[in-house]
Amino acid sequence: MSSKTEKDRLGKNIKRVKPLLKKEEAIVRPSFKKMLIATDIHGDYRALEFILKFAEKKGIEAYIFLGDYIDKGPDSVAVLNELLEMKLRNPKKIFLLRGNHETRDISRWFEFSDDLADETELLEASNAVFEQMPIGAVLNENIFCVHGCIAGTKHESLKDISKKDPKKYLWNDPGTEDGLLPSGRGGGIYSIGPDLIKKFMKQNDLQLIIRGHTSHQEGVKLFCDDRVISLYSTLPGTGPRARAAVAVLEEKKIKFYYYRKTKNGFEWEDEVKQLDLK
Ligand SMILES: [Mn+2]
């Protein structure tokens, strides 16, 4: 649960950040030497703090978050406050993509709306701000970041992605079987086959997709001949062996850093996985 002060802070941040997000296109295009990609913070303020401290040490220039800031964890409002304040301090270097939890349809069933149960105006204002969040990011001109996946439609172009109709991009998943398969997540949601993903990447001059949305024990899962990275940056709470990951994109390589839960907090692993880019 969040305090009254925390909620008041959210009210102010929401008001100030709205025009900034409104100005951003559905697809933002950051190009920097060293970028951090993290996703699905889901109300875990301690994990966010842990990740931000690490990023500062690494000399990260720009931050790309792939959505799902709220729900599941105990501190949705604190997480939002931290990220919105980062955005306000550094609007050209912090990018907050929209996740499927940043929608009216789903957030009303979860912790964020419980938190704001007595604050209908603030909940409404937050939802209005979520609608202004960008849907995707293209990093260094050829790495596409999105919460869910692509739509999987014919002749799909990045140019067609709009803030008005983002559902597919927030909900779909990459699959292992070719074609467009209905998803167990619900109606109108699909698992996108490697054939469709490769076609989309070719048509849009992309070499990699980074997405979040699916929690798993590994922190990073690769699909589509290592061209789709499924990242998860908090611990889904499924046992001591679970690990979470963030990605650091620097020049022509992308590195994955993993952390685990310890008795008193979190700990980075020594092992770093690296993917070389073209
Ligand atoms: Mn999600």
Side-chain angles (χ1 to χ4, degrees):
M1 282 303 271
S2 19
S3 67
K4 179 87 178 91
T5 347
E6 200 69 65
K7 289 178 195 171
D8 289 346
R9 216 172 116 201
L10 181 63
K12 283 183 194 131
N13 287 333
I14 286 279
K15 214 178 261 173
R16 289 175 61 209
V17 87
K18 196 175 178 187
L20 272 181
L21 292 176
K22 210 168 176 177
K23 261 193 275 169
E24 287 183 340
E25 304 281 338
I27 305 293
V28 290
R29 295 177 174 275
S31 282
F32 290 92
K33 280 213 178 83
K34 208 170 188 180
M35 291 185 259
L36 178 102
I37 302 113
T39 184
D40 294 82
I41 300 297
H42 275 306
D44 192 339
Y45 185 74
R46 285 171 69 219
L48 178 63
E49 260 188 321
F50 182 71
I51 292 168
L52 292 177
K53 209 185 265 176
F54 164 87
E56 206 172 298
K57 245 193 254 164
K58 288 272 168 217
I60 295 295
E61 276 182 278
Y63 295 74
I64 327 296
F65 289 91
L66 312 188
D68 279 10
Y69 311 105
I70 58 168
D71 297 333
K72 299 191 183 181
D75 303 313
S76 292
V77 175
V79 165
L80 264 187
N81 275 332
E82 179 69 36
L83 292 172
L84 296 181
E85 283 164 20
M86 281 172 73
K87 178 73 184 169
L88 288 164
R89 280 197 300 271
N90 239 327
K92 298 254 187 284
K93 292 186 172 178
I94 311 289
F95 297 91
L96 304 174
L97 306 188
R98 192 173 181 188
N100 62 308
H101 277 260
E102 282 78 49
T103 57
R104 282 168 216 273
D105 280 358
I106 181 144
S107 70
R108 69 188 162 121
W109 303 107
F110 286 91
E111 290 79 358
F112 180 62
S113 60
D114 290 348
D115 248 14
L116 300 187
D118 305 325
E119 311 259 356
T120 39
E121 254 174 64
L122 183 54
L123 184 61
E124 172 51 36
S126 304
N127 276 314
V129 158
F130 296 158
E131 280 168 8
Q132 298 303 332
M133 286 176 164
I135 310 307
V138 176
L139 313 184
N140 297 345
E141 289 173 18
N142 59 19
I143 297 171
F144 181 50
C145 295
V146 66
H147 184 71
C149 197
I150 63 168
T153 48
K154 254 191 194 163
H155 312 299
E156 183 181 357
S157 163
L158 282 174
K159 289 186 206 100
D160 304 332
I161 299 176
S162 97
K163 287 185 182 177
K164 292 225 163 66
D165 182 24
K167 184 176 175 183
K168 304 174 187 108
Y169 299 95
L170 308 187
W171 279 97
N172 285 352
D173 296 295
T176 49
E177 258 178 79
D178 279 350
L180 200 63
L181 296 169
S183 158
R185 289 186 190 270
I189 304 169
Y190 295 92
S191 165
I192 314 292
D195 56 334
L196 299 174
I197 292 175
K198 281 179 192 161
K199 204 168 116 198
F200 171 82
M201 289 174 92
K202 198 170 176 194
Q203 280 168 359
N204 291 278
D205 289 319
L206 299 168
Q207 66 157 320
L208 202 68
I209 293 179
I210 309 175
R211 51 91 63 177
H213 194 36
T214 310
S215 76
H216 42 75
Q217 300 271 336
E218 298 90 339
V220 175
K221 261 183 161 176
L222 300 173
F223 288 85
C224 201
D225 302 330
D226 297 355
R227 297 184 70 193
V228 175
I229 297 165
S230 190
L231 187 71
Y232 212 83
S233 306
T234 51
L235 292 151
T238 37
R241 299 192 58 204
R243 60 185 193 176
V246 299
V248 174
L249 174 64
E250 187 179 16
E251 310 282 339
K252 294 283 174 202
K253 47 184 196 291
I254 184 156
K255 285 184 181 172
F256 304 111
Y257 296 87
Y258 302 92
Y259 73 87
R260 285 178 196 271
K261 224 174 241 166
T262 61
K263 263 190 198 144
N264 315 311
F266 306 113
E267 186 177 65
W268 292 101
E269 287 188 358
D270 294 332
E271 188 206 330
V272 177
K273 196 168 168 180
Q274 184 177 317
L275 209 62
D276 292 309
L277 306 173
K278 271 180 269 165

